[in-house]
Amino acid sequence: MKHYNEKSVHTLELPRVLEQLADHAVSAEAKRRAMELRPETNIDTVTRMQRETTDAKRLIGMFGAPAFAGIRDVKGALQRADMGGTLNLRELLDVAMLLNTARRVRGYLDENGRVETCLHDRFDSLSANKYLEEMITTAILSEDEVADQASSELADIRKKIRASNAKIREVLQHMISSPSQSKYLQEAIITQRGGRYVVPVKSEYKNDVGGMVHDVSATGATVFIEPASVVKINNDLRELAGKEEREIERILATLSAEVSTYSESIGLDYDILVALDLLFAKAKLSYAQNADAPVLNEKGEVLLKEARHPLLASQKTVPISVRLGRDFDTLVITGPNTGGKTVTLKTIGLLTLMAECGLHIPAQSGSEISVFETVYADIGDEQSIEQSLSTFSSHMVNIVEILETADDRSLILFDELGAGTDPVEGAAIAVAIIRYAMALGARLAVTTHYTELKSFALTTNRVENASCEFDVETLQPTYKLLIGVPGKSNAFAIAHRLGLSDHIIDTARDLVDSENQQFDKILQKLEEKRTALEAELSAAEALKRENEELNRKAREYDERLERDRARAQERVREEAEEMLKEARRAADKIFDEIDALRKAQKKKDDIQRINEARASLRGALNEGERKLGSGKGAKRAKAEPLKRPLQIGDTVELLAFGTQGTVLTLPDADGNLRVQAGVLKVTTKVSEIRLIENAENRSAQKIVERSRAALRNQQMSNELDLRGMASDEAIMELDRYLDQVFLAKLSTVRIIHGKGTGVLRAAVQSHLRKHPHVKSFRIGTFGEGENGVTVVEIRQ
């Protein structure tokens, strides 16, 4: 957006929206950049920004926002490190915090799944230097403390310092505990003066205690003396403190040099994190405003559906729908004061600026915004006492500046155009300004009270009237924008409702010229027709909703019937299968009895019993088949015409039993033949059998197909829970499960063994290392079960 239009940016209150955006940012730099955000005028740039906001919003909806709390401004520290300077503890900790944040944000998508977005390059560009991060955090514990393990030399120095401190305290403790020495002391304590250990001695005994005087109390009653016995140890301690300070300076210099080595990548991480922080702030603002991405164009077309001004309380805002630039280029809005005309102008302008900043707009999905080169707004009372400008004059100054720079890629918003002067002259100037701006090719939205502008809109091509609706009954505006309907003056109606006498109102009407009265009557008729059409439309929409509700209920009823029918069929199928199982059990029992009879004896009477048993078997099978057929509601398979004459040894299917048998005799004149079905010899008819060609090959093929189908249809779980099992039992269960998932072609599974003592986890992982189906395995991460779960990748 051009610099000279900064005034319109503030007039439309974009900075207040940017304040809301900054509130959703985390880092100070992202907040600053949010406040400095300005609209872009290149449609490719705006499209990219909108897509980034949309993808960030989608990621928040799926996984929540990344954590940006650790972003620290390290630019100054990096510059000093590059110049050879030594960074202090706070600066080094800031670098480590930034690197830690970069590492966690980089892992944001990896932890939650690689959802395809346009933000991947930004996440992948983070270097996440864990080596330098751990070097700093290992060496520095806080802003005031360097860790002993920062270097072996520092650890040794501090060990000696602790030993010297302990030695001094031991000597002094012996002194203050000694009856012969304690009488000289003011108090039996050990303290320090000037970094050296001393004891408080009564002033009258200062010559009785050998040593160096370091301080005297304010009253002079106490002398702080360093006993001679600890002078050398104190000297050693002072020397060790100097060595410690020099070693800390060396450590900080080394860490600063490492920071300088990686300063370019650290600076890049900082810029990427700030940019991502700002992007996700835009997404959070979109959620807060219940906003959506607009459809962008360069044709000067604006279409806002149920749009809301983002700075008004959402529960009190009446959404407006407005269009511009498609079937008309200029919109003339009329209506009562406080009726919403100015809010409509600001909504059009502000939502355009927001979209060009990459922000979603608070409007329904499918709303359209044109990317304008400039958005101009002359809104509000611009009266200036200092410059001796009236309201009309100050507006004219703005309008002159706007018309000098506007072009066909401009959106111009005029509030109360031509107001503040003689109505006739003001209306004429307003019409002339609109004509001039239209000739430039600009898109205009204008508010006015002038009847002349309403007539101009009615009679001029590419100009349209609109009005803010007013309820005369309640004397309140409804804030609804009506496009195509000019606003009607409601002064007489309002005066009548407020109790002004009819005589005065009639006199006032007589004073209005006939042309204006006629125009008002036309507007009144238009309003009546509009109201009637809206009533008809509301009735039609109500009828449509009623029909949709009836259709929905009908669909639900059909779906419920279908579910009931499916459940009934499932019950019938289960009952039929149970009947068949009973028939098979009865057949197996009879077969056992036949075998027992055959083994017992071979006599004729036994043969008779065998025949009776066979007959009983056939009856049981027939009964089971009949019950199954009736339960399923299925039809018996029909015999197919024989493709060739039967031969002894042919394989046929007995349609009554659904089993196969071998032809023993050729059919006689009546079509009867004997078939061997298992242990039974059955007499049947040609019409009750079906010839099976290549029976052995078909049978084998069916077995193969059934096996393959079983594997395909097998629903394997992608996790196995071994908790509570002994190691041997768990290993056996694990082997069986790995075979199944290998056949089912699962790629990754989870083995749940729990945390506990770690025995079961060790046994499982030891077995996985040598299992042929296992490609690799790892401990679960946060959200997967951590140490209680092992994630296994199956070899394909």
Side-chain angles (χ1 to χ4, degrees), residues 246-460:
R246 289 190 295 275
E247 179 61 16
I248 289 175
E249 289 176 354
R250 187 193 68 78
I251 292 170
L252 296 183
T254 301
L255 292 175
S256 299
E258 287 291 333
V259 170
S260 175
T261 302
Y262 299 104
S263 62
E264 184 176 351
S265 63
I266 296 172
L268 182 61
D269 281 353
Y270 173 72
D271 289 334
I272 293 173
L273 287 172
V274 170
L276 286 173
D277 186 7
L278 183 56
L279 275 176
F280 279 88
K282 291 180 179 180
K284 295 173 188 174
L285 180 63
S286 178
Y287 271 113
Q289 294 181 344
N290 192 23
D292 207 341
V295 179
L296 300 174
N297 68 77
E298 286 185 296
K299 299 181 292 185
E301 297 180 0
V302 176
L303 175 62
L304 299 179
K305 302 177 180 178
E306 299 294 311
R308 305 174 306 280
H309 195 287
L311 300 178
L312 299 179
S314 58
Q315 63 272 20
K316 297 180 179 178
T317 304
V318 177
I320 63 168
S321 296
V322 60
R323 66 185 188 275
L324 179 66
R326 184 164 297 174
D327 46 353
F328 54 87
D329 301 325
T330 299
L331 186 65
V332 177
I333 307 173
T334 52
N337 290 328
T338 71
K341 301 190 302 299
T342 303
V343 171
T344 299
L345 286 189
K346 286 191 172 183
T347 301
I348 296 171
L350 181 55
L351 266 56
T352 299
L353 297 180
M354 288 176 62
E356 292 178 343
C357 289
L359 301 176
H360 288 174
I361 61 173
Q364 277 189 2
S365 177
S367 294
E368 298 181 31
I369 290 290
S370 177
V371 179
F372 291 101
E373 183 71 29
T374 47
V375 177
Y376 298 103
D378 179 54
I379 297 174
D381 187 356
E382 298 290 334
Q383 183 173 346
S384 173
I385 297 176
E386 292 180 358
Q387 300 179 22
S388 300
L389 293 176
S390 66
T391 300
F392 177 77
S393 299
S394 60
H395 278 296
M396 280 300 109
V397 170
N398 289 338
I399 292 170
V400 168
E401 293 177 357
I402 291 172
L403 295 180
E404 285 177 349
T405 54
D407 56 23
D408 59 347
R409 291 200 61 199
S410 299
L411 172 64
I412 303 176
L413 308 171
F414 288 139
D415 188 27
E416 300 293 351
L417 182 61
T421 187
D422 178 77
V424 176
E425 294 180 355
I429 291 175
V431 170
I433 290 172
I434 293 174
R435 288 187 185 278
Y436 183 83
M438 290 179 64
L440 295 174
R443 303 295 186 267
L444 289 89
V446 180
T447 67
T448 184
H449 285 287
Y450 292 146
T451 301
E452 289 83 352
L453 265 65
K454 303 176 192 177
S455 301
F456 171 73
L458 287 172
T459 58
T460 306

Side-chain angles (χ1 to χ4, degrees), residues 13-38 49 53 56 60 274-289 310-311 353-354 356-360:
E13 300 181 284
L14 177 63
R16 289 186 59 192
V17 176
L18 298 182
E19 287 178 6
Q20 295 180 355
L21 175 63
D23 290 340
H24 289 287
V26 178
S27 63
E29 178 62 18
K31 291 178 181 292
R32 186 187 66 80
R33 293 186 187 183
M35 292 303 301
E36 293 179 354
L37 198 62
R38 286 299 179 267
M49 293 165 63
T53 303
I60 289 178
V274 170
L276 286 173
D277 186 7
L278 183 56
L279 275 176
F280 279 88
K282 291 180 179 180
K284 295 173 188 174
L285 180 63
S286 178
Y287 271 113
Q289 294 181 344
L311 300 178
L353 297 180
M354 288 176 62
E356 292 178 343
C357 289
L359 301 176
H360 288 174

Side-chain angles (χ1 to χ4, degrees), residues 572 575-577 579-584 617-636 655-658:
V572 170
E575 292 173 0
E577 288 181 352
M579 292 178 186
L580 184 56
K581 288 178 182 178
E582 291 180 2
R584 286 174 178 166
L617 171 61
R618 283 195 296 271
L621 286 175
N622 288 335
E623 178 65 17
E625 185 68 22
R626 183 189 65 77
K627 290 181 178 180
L628 179 59
S630 62
K632 291 182 179 179
K635 296 179 180 179
R636 175 182 291 189
L655 299 179
F657 296 95

